[in-house]
Amino acid sequence: MKVASFKNHDGQIRIGIEIQGKLADLTAGLEKYLVEEAGIEPQCAKDVANEKLPTSMFDLIRREKEGQADLKLAGEFTRKLVEKGDVVFSPTGDKIIYGLEEVSLLTPVQKMAGRVFNMEYNYPAYKTVYNTDPPKDGETAMFMMEPETITGPEDFVKWPTTANEVTAAVELGIVIGKTGKRISQANASEYIFGYTVVSDFTGMSILRGIGPGKSAFPGAFYFTRAMIMDSFQPVGPFITLQDEIPDPQNLGAELKVNGHVVSKGKTSDMRVSVAGLIEYLSKDITLEAGDLISTGAIGTVEYPPEAGVKIGDVTEAMIEHIGTLRNTVVA
Amino acid sequence: MKLGSFKTHSGNMCTGVNINGQLIDLTAAFEKYLFEDCGVGRQFASEASYKRIPPSMLALIQREEEGMADLTAVYSYIKNIMKKGSVLFSPSGKKLNYGLDEIKLLCPIPQLYRVFNIGVNCDAFATMAKVTPPEEGYTCMFKKPTHSIIGPEDEIQYPITGNDVESEIELGVIFGKKGKGISQDKAMDYIFGYTISHDIVVMDVLSENNMGPADMGVPASYYITLSKSPDTFEPIGPFIVTKDEIPDPQNVDMELRVNGEVRLKGRTRDMRVPIRRLIEFNSADMTFYPGDFLSTGGMGDKDWPPHTELKPGDVVEAEIKEIGVLRNYVIS
């Protein structure tokens, strides 16, 4: 199941499920289910649906297991409605099925709790391409962003005042679905809600002087600064729930700039795996339902993980089984 | 004003002000002020008080100038009617004033989630760590996750990722206004107030990864955020002192004591990059919002290096005279 946050005609933010190129409003779908399958009176069904499938993705994810169960129930029911092909409304008159062109997709991780963990140097190509020392085996670099750094699909990435060289990258994002600490690799999958596409922008010129060892300073002090600029982290449009991606270490990814492939790779090249990252981060840090872990820029020596962009460029970050995230760089 | 957030024994969260060692529930005080001083009806006074002085400090600060105007009004009202030993109530029967033993002080902004920390902001730090400091007027900034934030009297949990845990003492700046591209000469307008913070670090996470003069650099710098991010590693409090009470934030002295013994001393005049420039530098391409927290970097000098070690069982007290004492307990 692929879920997304979207804005409907009335400007309301809703949660949708993608089915055959259409988007179904899950809250309205659950309302219809409750009336037809559970015999609940319409207005009451609407209230229950709003409570069980809140229109904020974050609130839904925070409901952990119960929220995921309600999501699956509503998802299966609305899938059948879409397959029947009629334009349907919920008993209280909310539209359920939309064409993708009728809505604006938002980032699915909007207004999360301020916990965005960005991994860096998680693909071996970095050593050759950028001539820097790697983190130790089993470890990787981590920086934190703000929810306000995040933008959505089709949004603008604003050219900064502090950098004259900006790069874009495609990264696999893990959305955490259960709160926990000291999580072992073996149990890590229990803590995952799903996966999304992250396009991580960096003001590369801010990191000037980064090289091996001592020559990294003072540029190395500015890692967070180079990445935390407003709009520098588009995320979305979809979160593919975990059960549809049984092996997150076998996903192809690519980044296009103005239609040309500039970065390309497979998540099988990750230095520290998805499960490994969850174990590594959660040793002393509590991971919370709704957290986003971006697992590092994907690339190879031939198609490096960071690609230069300039004003006017259109970036498209694509990961198999999840989707494509398109953004435009503006002045 | 010395503002704080507290929880009563019955579990209510309150936004408060400290007057002579008593905590005033400002929402209840505002209700009384509206009813008794402004002629507002009983019911409306109660509803309006929640909106205008919300029990969430973050929501209050987010009201920017209007929130500050209401705060100032209720503060001068309550100072006038407070008498020694008296217990006051709002029109709807809420208790107004509490002794410190009747409440639990919390992090002054319990809803805080945007925490920015500055590193290497005094010369003593660069000397001690033997690193090439940032260029003049530049600083190292990193972020911490929400679970690292704790309040006064809370416990600092000893981590499992290392056994050399060190603390710094820092002046914390709270933003009162949204802004981006803020110039140095306007920077102080964006400040709501000041508080105390510790920036605690697992040194092994840095040093095991080549943190030393020879190989210093990447990859040690990869671990700056991780080494400072464990749960409970950013105690903040006990109060926010509004900026009018600290007219010169570059002339503030601080002291950190462990089990009563002075371990660190610092002065904000030793900052490599002063507060107004920190705001300019960091806001160039990133928006600051009201309620944001910026910890301005550990202070020290050649006699008092800006780091001290903490062990389980230690009682840590960070003091800035104008703000108070932030006490925490290290547990295993």
Side-chain angles (χ1 to χ4, degrees):
Chain A
M1 199 169 8
K2 271 184 177 181
V3 293
S5 281
F6 71 95
K7 208 182 246 181
N8 68 12
H9 291 302
D10 302 328
Q12 294 171 318
I13 296 173
R14 314 287 291 189
I15 299 179
I17 166 178
E18 195 252 6
I19 304 162
Q20 297 169 5
K22 291 193 159 33
L23 205 61
D25 183 320
L26 278 170
T27 315
L30 184 62
E31 179 196 322
K32 192 171 168 70
Y33 169 86
L34 290 170
V35 170
E36 292 178 6
E37 307 282 319
I40 296 175
E41 180 268 324
Q43 190 55 46
C44 176
K46 187 186 184 106
D47 294 343
V48 174
N50 277 319
E51 193 183 305
K52 285 185 178 287
L53 281 177
T55 51
S56 140
M57 186 77 81
F58 182 62
D59 291 344
L60 172 65
I61 295 173
R62 280 293 175 100
R63 291 190 62 229
E64 301 199 359
K65 253 189 175 149
E66 290 171 9
Q68 288 172 39
D70 291 333
L71 187 61
K72 285 204 173 116
L73 186 76
E76 288 313 313
F77 181 75
T78 41
R79 182 185 301 279
K80 284 180 207 146
L81 294 178
V82 174
E83 282 163 0
K84 274 195 248 163
D86 308 329
V87 178
V88 280
F89 290 86
S90 79
T92 63
D94 286 343
K95 190 171 172 176
I96 301 182
I97 300 164
Y98 294 86
L100 275 173
E101 70 291 347
E102 290 179 88
V103 300
S104 18
L105 289 171
L106 307 169
T107 173
V109 295
Q110 207 162 32
K111 292 286 167 214
M112 293 221 167
R115 299 169 50 95
V116 182
F117 300 91
N118 275 25
M119 303 301 141
E120 295 296 318
Y121 210 135
N122 202 21
Y123 284 79
Y126 269 87
K127 186 166 171 52
T128 313
V129 179
Y130 303 103
N131 184 32
T132 48
D133 298 333
K136 291 204 300 192
D137 285 349
E139 300 189 352
T140 194
M142 186 272 278
F143 304 95
M144 293 201 68
M145 302 295 114
E146 286 296 343
E148 287 77 7
T149 321
I150 291 179
T151 50
E154 307 295 338
D155 280 347
F156 296 131
V157 174
K158 287 185 212 92
W159 191 263
T161 62
T162 51
N164 51 30
E165 193 190 321
V166 175
T167 60
V170 54
E171 308 193 3
L172 175 69
I174 310 168
V175 179
I176 296 294
K178 185 177 162 186
T179 299
K181 190 174 178 182
R182 292 178 191 158
I183 303 162
S184 69
Q185 289 205 38
N187 294 330
S189 67
E190 274 176 50
Y191 292 82
I192 298 173
F193 176 78
Y195 300 95
T196 188
V197 181
V198 178
S199 196
D200 181 17
F201 286 74
T202 305
M204 266 299 174
S205 48
I206 292 173
L207 304 177
R208 63 197 163 282
I210 292 275
K214 235 183 166 175
S215 65
F217 280 92
F221 283 129
Y222 313 133
F223 275 117
T224 302
R225 173 177 178 77
M227 293 186 279
I228 201 168
M229 297 188 260
D230 289 352
S231 78
F232 261 39
Q233 184 133 317
V235 179
F238 297 104
I239 299 175
T240 302
L241 300 197
Q242 188 185 206
D243 49 3
E244 276 190 25
I245 302 191
D247 183 6
Q249 306 306 149
N250 188 27
L251 299 171
E254 65 180 31
L255 177 77
K256 287 182 186 168
V257 175
N258 303 328
H260 300 286
V261 177
V262 287
S263 303
K264 197 157 105 175
K266 279 188 87 86
T267 55
S268 50
D269 286 340
M270 269 187 206
R271 293 179 54 257
V272 184
S273 68
V274 166
L277 286 173
I278 289 175
E279 177 176 295
Y280 176 60
L281 287 179
S282 71
K283 279 180 184 160
D284 281 317
I285 301 174
T286 302
L287 291 180
E288 275 193 313
D291 285 356
L292 175 71
I293 301 173
S294 197
T295 59
I298 303 171
T300 59
V301 174
E302 201 186 352
Y303 287 100
E306 313 258 357
V309 291
K310 50 189 194 319
I311 293 165
D313 282 353
V314 176
T315 60
E316 288 168 289
M318 187 284 298
I319 301 181
E320 268 182 314
H321 304 301
I322 305 175
T324 300
L325 171 64
R326 186 171 42 235
N327 297 92
T328 306
V329 183
V330 299
Chain B
M1 277 178 278
K2 246 185 196 178
L3 301 168
S5 290
F6 65 91
K7 201 189 230 175
T8 63
H9 286 333
S10 50
N12 291 329
M13 298 269 284
C14 303
T15 299
V17 63
N18 180 336
I19 298 179
N20 303 326
Q22 286 207 68
L23 262 294
I24 314 299
D25 175 345
L26 279 169
T27 311
F30 197 68
E31 183 194 333
K32 190 176 173 70
Y33 162 71
L34 286 177
F35 179 71
E36 288 184 1
D37 232 38
C38 309
V40 172
R42 205 174 278 269
Q43 181 61 29
F44 188 72
S46 172
E47 284 166 21
S49 68
Y50 274 92
K51 284 193 192 125
R52 291 174 59 179
I53 306 279
S56 148
M57 183 73 81
L58 183 61
L60 173 61
I61 297 173
Q62 283 168 340
R63 293 193 63 230
E64 301 197 12
E65 278 109 347
E66 288 175 359
M68 185 49 96
D70 285 343
L71 259 180
T72 310
V74 69
Y75 182 61
S76 72
Y77 168 77
I78 200 78
K79 259 201 324 195
N80 281 332
I81 62 164
M82 278 275 289
K83 287 191 191 78
K84 222 178 174 184
S86 64
V87 180
L88 300 170
F89 290 90
S90 79
S92 69
K94 283 166 69 188
K95 190 172 159 177
L96 250 67
N97 54 329
Y98 295 86
L100 279 168
D101 54 338
E102 293 179 279
I103 51 108
K104 160 86 176 86
L105 270 179
L106 307 169
C107 165
I109 310 181
Q111 307 78 13
L112 182 63
Y113 70 96
R114 291 172 52 91
V115 182
F116 302 89
N117 278 48
I118 301 299
V120 204
N121 203 19
C122 66
D123 293 332
F125 192 97
T127 313
M128 180 195 75
K130 300 190 179 68
V131 297
T132 311
E135 291 103 328
E136 210 177 315
Y138 281 44
T139 65
C140 171
M141 185 272 281
F142 54 92
K143 296 233 346 94
K144 290 197 175 196
T146 43
H147 281 269
S148 53
I149 304 162
I150 56 171
E153 304 292 331
D154 283 345
E155 289 167 342
I156 298 163
Q157 289 160 31
Y158 207 79
I160 62 166
T161 47
N163 42 42
D164 179 7
V165 172
E166 303 203 358
S167 184
E168 300 169 22
I169 174 171
E170 311 192 355
L171 178 70
V173 172
I174 314 284
F175 280 75
K177 199 170 150 183
K178 182 179 170 179
K180 186 175 177 178
I182 303 164
S183 65
Q184 285 199 55
D185 55 317
K186 298 261 161 60
M188 304 318 264
D189 298 345
Y190 289 79
I191 295 176
F192 177 83
Y194 303 96
T195 187
I196 308 173
S197 65
H198 297 259
D199 178 12
I200 306 176
V201 54
V202 192
M203 281 307 280
D204 328 39
V205 171
L206 284 175
S207 58
E208 271 187 16
N209 293 285
N210 308 327
M211 180 85 161
D215 300 317
M216 181 60 199
V218 171
S221 59
Y222 293 146
Y223 304 108
I224 290 177
T225 302
L226 187 73
S227 67
K228 300 197 178 231
S229 288
D231 292 353
T232 74
F233 266 35
E234 183 89 8
I236 297 175
F239 298 105
I240 299 171
V241 171
T242 47
K243 69 173 167 191
D244 54 300
E245 292 193 8
I246 302 188
D248 183 4
Q250 301 304 148
N251 188 23
V252 169
D253 294 347
M254 54 184 88
E255 181 176 290
L256 186 89
R257 297 183 292 272
V258 177
N259 304 326
E261 175 200 338
V262 178
R263 292 271 191 89
L264 301 179
K265 276 188 179 188
R267 298 168 303 256
T268 54
R269 63 176 171 275
D270 291 333
M271 280 187 197
R272 286 181 58 252
V273 179
I275 292 163
R276 53 179 70 240
R277 169 64 185 157
L278 286 177
I279 293 173
E280 176 179 80
F281 181 70
N282 286 297
S283 72
D285 282 310
M286 184 188 73
T287 308
F288 279 110
Y289 294 87
D292 279 4
F293 177 80
L294 177 72
S295 200
T296 56
M299 290 294 117
D301 58 30
K302 58 182 182 359
D303 301 321
W304 299 95
H307 265 215
T308 191
E309 193 176 354
L310 303 180
K311 288 281 184 201
D314 283 349
V315 180
V316 197
E317 289 170 303
E319 179 164 11
I320 292 180
K321 204 169 67 275
E322 294 85 343
I323 301 169
V325 177
L326 172 62
R327 189 182 302 109
N328 297 92
Y329 307 89
V330 186
I331 59 157
S332 54

